[in-house]
């Protein structure tokens, strides 16, 4: 069975409020919409993913989805169901998974259950039992509603594409909030499969806080180590820890030879298990000739955070006889903290000599060591 995932992301996020619509806001370092799309793209049964956005949201969506294989962005309408209908016109497959961008963390098992149910039903939706007591209420509490047999209905919802299109053609009611309503109204059967709390929709500020807390609880600490050496050569200034130190001699290197930033970059990449600086910025590549090493360290930080990670602390030791680091330490901490978007207290810069022993002792070059402490998501 060929399956297209249709992700609707054309809303304006009124109930969450604040700035840009919720689907484009980062949670754990990654836009909500990107989380949603990546999760569906990665499921082996999902052949393609298409995304429906609102008028005027192209730039936000382009940034959020950069590099993902989702074809052309589709344009939705005023109500969620208008966005779904616009999407249904643009896809061709036997089955469709209609999904809200505002539910970023879809577990693969839910998709398995939904698609398995399509063998016997026209549609399938993930549901969860309700734990709280249910009642009607205005300002005053009214009658209790029997909660036995009552469920919350989530997305993604799976349908045979022909069935869903037909059901929408026949639908004449007000804008429905999901597709099971439409399909059932057309007399078709929808399976209820087990949902997952990870699929709860981010609707209000309190949902957002709960999701952030849930993600934070799934982060595990990791540590990375970095080391680098550059020989003195040519003229100063000397780039060290992101600042230019007046010096008669500079350091030799393909880039600006900032050993401190290189060591921290490697520590960050090491903590994330993402290889080393040479893998990401090969010294054979002419585009990095004379490059500002801030690019390297900022890229490493972005890689950690892009995967939902958090950078807690970086510590480094500079090993040299000259220049004296003390007078520049605060400026280096400030600069590194600025590049890494960390408070200064999360960056440590230390220095030592080697008692005139070895290559650093003879003043032939500068070495730097770094350790990065990060937390990485286990919710991938
Ligand atoms: N959606 C859509 N087109 C619309 C309205 C909503 O594609 N005209 C999408 C949203 O982007 C979201 C999903 O439908 O991914 C569920 O809608 P909801 O949670 O209501 O999101 P918003 O409409 O953006 O939020 P609000 O109702 O608070 O404004
Ligand atoms: Mg809405």
């Amino acid at each position: 069975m060929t399956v297209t995932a249709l992700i609707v992301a054309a809303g304006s996020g009124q109930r969450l409020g604040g700035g840009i619509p919720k689907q484009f806001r980062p949670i754990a370092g990654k836009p909500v919409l990107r989380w949603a799309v990546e999760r569906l793209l990665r499921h082996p049964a999902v052949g393609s993913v298409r995304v429906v956005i609102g008028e005027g949201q192209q730039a936000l969506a382009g940034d959020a989805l950069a590099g993902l294989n989702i074809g052309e962005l589709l344009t939705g309408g005023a109500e969620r169901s208008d966005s779904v209908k616009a999407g249904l016109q643009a896809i061709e497959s036997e089955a469709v998974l209609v999904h809200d961008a505002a539910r970023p963390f879809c577990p693969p098992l839910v998709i398995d259950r939904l698609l398995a149910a399509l063998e016997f039903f026209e549609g399938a939706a993930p549901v969860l039992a309700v734990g709280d007591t249910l009642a009607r209420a205005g300002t005053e509490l009214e009658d209790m509603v029997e909660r036995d047999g009552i469920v919350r209905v989530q997305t993604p919802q799976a349908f045979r594409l022909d069935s869903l299109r037909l059901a929408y053609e026949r639908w004449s009611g007000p804008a429905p909030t999901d597709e099971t309503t439409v399909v059932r109204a057309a007399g078709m059967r929808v399976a209820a499969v087990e949902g997952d709390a990870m699929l709860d929709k981010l609707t209000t500020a309190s949902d957002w806080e709960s999701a952030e807390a849930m993600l934070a609880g799934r982060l595990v600490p990791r540590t990375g180590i970095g080391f680098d050496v550059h020989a003195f050569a040519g003229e100063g200034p000397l780039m060290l820890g992101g600042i230019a130190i007046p010096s008669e001699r500079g350091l030799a290197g393909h880039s600006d030879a900032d050993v401190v930033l290189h060591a921290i970059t490697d520590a960050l990449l090491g903590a994330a298990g993402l290889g080393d600086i040479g893998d990401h910025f090969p010294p054979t590549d002419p585009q990095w000739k004379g490059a500002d090493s801030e690019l390297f360290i900022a890229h490493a930080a972005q890689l950690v955070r892009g995967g939902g990670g958090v950078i807690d602390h970086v510590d480094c030791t500079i090993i040299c006889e000259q220049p004296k680091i003390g007078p520049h330490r605060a400026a280096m901490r400030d600069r590194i903290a600025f590049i890494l978007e960390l408070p200064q207290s999360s960056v440590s810069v230390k220095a030592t000599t080697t008692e005139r022993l070895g290559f650093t002792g003879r003043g032939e070059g500068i070495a730097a060591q770094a350790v990065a402490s990060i937390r990485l998501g286990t919710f991938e």
Side-chain angles (χ1 to χ4, degrees):
M1 185 169 52
T2 54
V3 180
T4 302
L6 185 63
I7 302 188
V8 287
S12 55
Q14 296 298 321
R15 283 169 290 178
L16 183 69
I20 60 172
K22 59 189 178 185
Q23 63 271 33
F24 305 117
R25 299 237 299 254
I27 186 157
K30 197 190 288 193
V32 166
L33 173 59
R34 191 177 184 96
W35 278 108
V37 169
E38 283 185 351
R39 294 238 145 188
L40 287 162
L41 265 179
R42 136 164 24 132
H43 194 286
V46 175
S48 60
V49 176
R50 301 300 300 273
V51 178
V52 185
I53 58 164
E55 297 271 7
Q57 295 181 335
Q58 276 77 6
L60 285 167
D63 283 351
L65 299 172
L68 297 181
N69 182 16
I70 49 155
E72 294 263 298
L73 291 167
L74 307 169
T75 306
E79 301 291 340
R80 181 187 176 283
S81 53
D82 299 323
S83 301
V84 173
K85 281 188 276 184
L88 291 177
Q89 283 173 14
I91 63 175
E92 232 13 278
S93 54
E94 286 156 287
V96 59
L97 286 163
V98 182
H99 189 42
D100 294 330
R103 303 178 193 267
F105 311 115
C106 181
L109 277 177
V110 174
I111 297 177
D112 294 342
R113 288 178 209 134
L114 290 166
L115 296 178
L118 277 197
E119 206 174 312
F120 308 102
F121 291 83
E122 266 91 19
V127 305
L128 281 182
V130 182
D132 294 320
T133 296
L134 293 179
R136 299 191 185 284
T139 50
E140 191 178 325
L141 206 61
E142 294 162 28
D143 291 346
M144 205 188 97
V145 177
E146 182 54 59
R147 99 184 150 204
D148 239 30
I150 299 278
V151 291
R152 303 193 281 127
V153 184
Q154 303 176 312
T155 80
Q157 297 178 353
F159 303 94
R160 299 189 201 169
L161 183 57
D162 291 344
S163 306
L164 181 55
R165 279 188 181 141
L166 184 67
Y168 260 119
E169 276 164 29
R170 293 189 190 162
W171 177 261
S172 57
T177 56
D178 81 337
E179 281 54 58
T180 64
T181 320
V182 177
V183 167
R184 289 196 57 262
M188 303 179 207
R189 292 171 64 226
V190 178
V193 308
E194 192 189 344
D196 195 302
M198 292 284 281
L199 274 173
D200 283 347
K201 188 155 69 74
L202 303 178
T203 305
T204 62
S206 119
D207 297 337
W208 190 278
E209 279 166 27
S210 311
E212 277 185 327
M214 181 271 296
L215 293 171
R218 288 169 183 244
L219 292 172
V220 291
R222 315 239 308 202
T223 306
I225 185 169
F227 178 72
D228 196 30
V229 173
H230 281 278
F232 282 112
E235 291 171 3
L238 191 72
M239 287 308 298
L240 218 50
I243 63 166
I245 297 178
S247 159
E248 278 170 20
R249 295 184 302 169
L251 289 173
H254 188 64
S255 65
D256 66 7
D258 189 326
V259 279
V260 177
L261 296 193
H262 294 183
I264 297 173
T265 302
D266 258 0
L268 288 168
L269 292 172
L274 293 173
D276 65 24
I277 193 168
D279 296 333
H280 295 266
F281 305 98
T284 47
D285 188 337
Q287 72 169 303
W288 309 123
K289 187 164 167 47
D292 184 340
S293 297
E294 294 192 5
L295 275 175
F296 306 161
I297 182 174
H299 179 71
Q302 171 53 36
L303 289 175
V304 170
R305 294 193 172 119
V310 176
I311 302 171
D312 285 319
H313 190 258
V314 296
D315 180 24
C316 66
T317 299
I318 305 167
I319 305 157
C320 62
E321 303 288 333
Q322 289 295 335
K324 291 294 167 220
I325 302 302
H328 307 290
R329 244 167 78 149
M332 285 187 204
R333 280 182 86 185
D334 275 345
R335 189 67 205 163
I336 296 164
F338 174 78
I339 308 164
L340 292 178
E341 298 176 41
L342 289 174
Q344 201 213 42
S345 58
S346 299
V347 175
S348 154
V349 175
K350 314 186 303 303
T352 185
T353 69
T354 47
E355 300 289 338
R356 302 193 174 276
L357 297 172
F359 68 88
T360 52
R362 291 189 296 271
E364 293 166 11
I366 301 183
Q369 295 175 323
V371 171
S373 307
I374 70 171
R375 281 169 293 148
L376 271 197
T378 53
F379 38 83
E380 268 309 297

